[in-house]
């Protein structure tokens, strides 16, 4: 009788020893293992995650052997299938102190009491986490791997709910609505309501005053829209393929590493690169956000790193993989 192949996209349940190792990785004390679940604890864990574990696509572009050998040029999409999932992604993040992208970070294990077999479902082109616990007064959206302009605080799934970020120039909102489309986009025949996370972009130099109204100088821009539904794991494998390993997958064509700077009020350090004919093969590193940005989305404190494994590894070890 034919059987399904072994499922590499599932993870084992997150037992106490695995949770302790992860707390070490995100620089939090093991005493939190015995702390009762609260919104304050979730907020602490979430921010520590964003400050410690970068969104990191480098695994798609260089093999483990390439990092350990002599310095060679980094070729985009040269490490197929590249991005680890399941247990392998946990090893990459916890044991090697590196990062990954959403399909790896946002599925690192489950509560062994509620899901003893681990995690077995996913979402479409981005994966997020929806969290609740016994005694919570709702469900909360967290996302460990959206990247630039990521929400840094949990937000309760309540239509129209607005939460401030970590500084005076950022706010986030969730709306329960149809998929938001630009006027030129064709509307689907059947449209199931879901949740849209948006970020408020204020006028440069203007701190956000609450409540935010139509007269507030700035605008809302959607980050992503999602449906909180379970899907078959084989569908998740397909979504992962078209995000990371297909010839047309967006992540195969650019290099991105980014994380929140600790104690910076939400400032983020990012590194980006894509091949452009006639341009030097150097990745741009820059800082955005935080109180210092004054609401500007422009990058500052710019550096450039050669797209070769030697200088790149040294820079990442010093600035991102730690």
């Amino acid at each position: 009788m034919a059987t399904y192949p072994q499922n590499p996209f599932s993870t084992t349940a997150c037992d106490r020893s695995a949770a302790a190792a992860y707390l070490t990785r995100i620089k939090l004390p093991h005493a939190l293992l015995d702390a009762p679940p609260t919104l304050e604890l979730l907020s602490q864990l979430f921010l520590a995650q964003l400050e410690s574990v970068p969104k990191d696509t480098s695994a798609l572009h260089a093999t483990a052997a390439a990092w350990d050998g002599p310095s060679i040029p980094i070729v985009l999409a040269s490490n197929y299938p590249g991005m680890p999932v399941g247990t392998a992604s946990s090893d990459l993040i916890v044991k090697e102190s590196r990062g990954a992208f959403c399909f790896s970070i946002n599925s690192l294990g489950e509560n062994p009491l509620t899901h003893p077999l681990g995690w077995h479902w996913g979402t479409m082109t981005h994966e997020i986490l929806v969290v609740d616990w016994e005694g919570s007064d709702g469900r909360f959206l967290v996302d460990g791997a959206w990247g630039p302009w990521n929400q840094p605080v949990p937000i309760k799934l309540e239509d129209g709910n607005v939460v401030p970020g970590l500084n005076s120039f950022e706010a986030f909102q969730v709306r329960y609505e149809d998929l938001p489309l630009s006027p030129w986009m064709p509307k689907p025949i059947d449209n199931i309501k879901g949740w849209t996370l948006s970020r408020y972009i204020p006028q440069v130099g203007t701190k956000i005053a609450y409540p935010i109204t139509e007269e507030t100088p700035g605008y809302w821009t959607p980050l992503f829209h999602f449906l909180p539904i379970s899907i078959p794991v084989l569908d998740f494998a397909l979504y992962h393929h078209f995000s990371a390993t297909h010839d047309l997958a967006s992540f195969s064509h650019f290099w991105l590493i980014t994380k929140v700077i600790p104690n910076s009020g939400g400032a983020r350090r990012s590194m980006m690169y894509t091949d452009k004919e006639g341009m030097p093969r150097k990745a741009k590193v820059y800082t955005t956000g935080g109180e210092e940005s004054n609401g500007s989305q422009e990058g500052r404190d710019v550096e450039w790193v050669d797209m070769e494994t030697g200088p790149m590894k040294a820079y990442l070890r010093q600035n991102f993989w730690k």
Side-chain angles (χ1 to χ4, degrees):
M1 180 177 177
T3 60
Y4 285 112
Q6 185 177 3
N7 174 14
F9 298 93
S10 298
T11 65
T12 57
C14 188
D15 59 19
R16 188 177 180 88
S17 62
Y22 207 85
L23 285 174
T24 298
R25 172 67 177 91
I26 61 175
K27 304 177 179 63
L28 290 178
H30 289 187
L32 292 180
L33 289 170
D34 299 310
T38 63
L39 179 57
E40 290 73 22
L41 176 60
L42 176 62
S43 301
Q44 182 182 11
L45 293 169
F46 184 31
L47 183 57
Q49 163 78 27
L50 295 178
E51 292 179 342
S52 302
V53 181
K55 178 170 185 174
D56 182 353
T57 66
S58 61
L60 295 171
H61 312 299
T63 65
W67 291 118
D68 294 332
S71 185
I72 59 174
I74 296 171
V75 179
L76 298 185
S78 60
N79 186 25
Y80 180 88
M83 187 63 66
V85 291
T87 303
S89 66
S90 178
D91 291 343
L92 182 74
I93 294 168
V94 177
K95 296 181 180 180
E96 299 182 39
S97 294
R98 291 176 58 181
F101 77 159
C102 64
F103 288 100
S104 301
I105 288 178
N106 284 335
S107 56
L108 284 178
E110 267 291 353
N111 184 338
L113 299 179
T114 59
H115 296 84
L117 298 180
W119 180 90
H120 285 272
W121 59 84
T123 57
M124 297 188 180
T125 56
H126 180 56
E127 178 189 338
I128 52 87
L129 292 171
V130 175
V131 180
D132 62 1
W133 57 93
E134 185 176 354
S136 66
D137 65 346
R139 309 179 79 190
F140 295 83
L141 167 66
V142 295
D143 183 357
W146 176 253
W149 313 116
N150 196 91
Q151 60 168 124
V153 293
I155 181 169
K156 185 177 180 180
L157 292 183
E158 189 173 76
D159 186 31
N161 188 23
V162 175
V163 297
L166 298 180
N167 58 73
S168 306
F169 301 98
E170 63 179 18
F172 300 85
Q173 180 186 59
V174 285
R175 297 299 307 268
Y176 185 66
E177 61 184 4
D178 290 338
L179 177 67
L181 300 171
S182 297
W184 54 269
M185 293 179 176
K187 294 184 178 181
I189 296 174
D190 297 310
N191 203 348
I192 303 173
K193 287 185 180 296
W195 293 96
T196 303
L197 174 69
S198 297
R199 176 190 173 97
Y200 196 76
I201 308 297
Q203 181 177 323
V204 176
T206 305
K207 295 183 178 182
I208 298 175
Y210 299 89
I212 297 173
T213 67
E214 292 184 359
E215 286 70 41
T216 303
Y219 59 93
W220 289 105
T221 184
L223 299 179
F224 54 78
H225 179 86
F226 69 95
L227 304 175
I229 59 175
S230 301
I231 64 170
V233 69
L234 292 181
D235 286 351
F236 171 68
L238 182 65
Y239 298 139
H240 176 272
H241 172 58
F242 283 110
S243 292
T245 58
H246 188 273
D247 287 343
L248 299 179
S250 59
F251 284 113
S252 297
H253 298 280
F254 70 93
W255 172 281
L256 170 64
I257 303 177
T258 177
K259 71 175 182 179
V260 172
I261 301 171
N263 305 311
S264 67
R268 179 179 287 272
R269 194 72 172 157
S270 300
M271 172 187 285
M272 295 191 73
Y273 172 80
T274 189
D275 288 326
K276 293 183 179 180
E277 187 175 354
M279 298 295 290
R281 299 196 77 250
K282 293 178 179 288
K284 181 180 180 180
V285 189
Y286 57 96
T287 299
T288 54
E291 200 74 28
E292 184 182 342
S293 73
N294 207 30
S296 171
Q297 300 184 73
E298 296 297 320
R300 60 187 185 274
D301 302 328
V302 175
E303 297 181 278
W304 299 89
V305 183
D306 289 331
M307 287 294 289
E308 293 197 4
T309 55
M312 183 62 73
K313 180 179 180 179
Y315 189 90
L316 294 178
R317 287 292 184 198
Q318 183 176 1
N319 296 278
F320 287 97
W321 295 350
K322 61 179 183 177

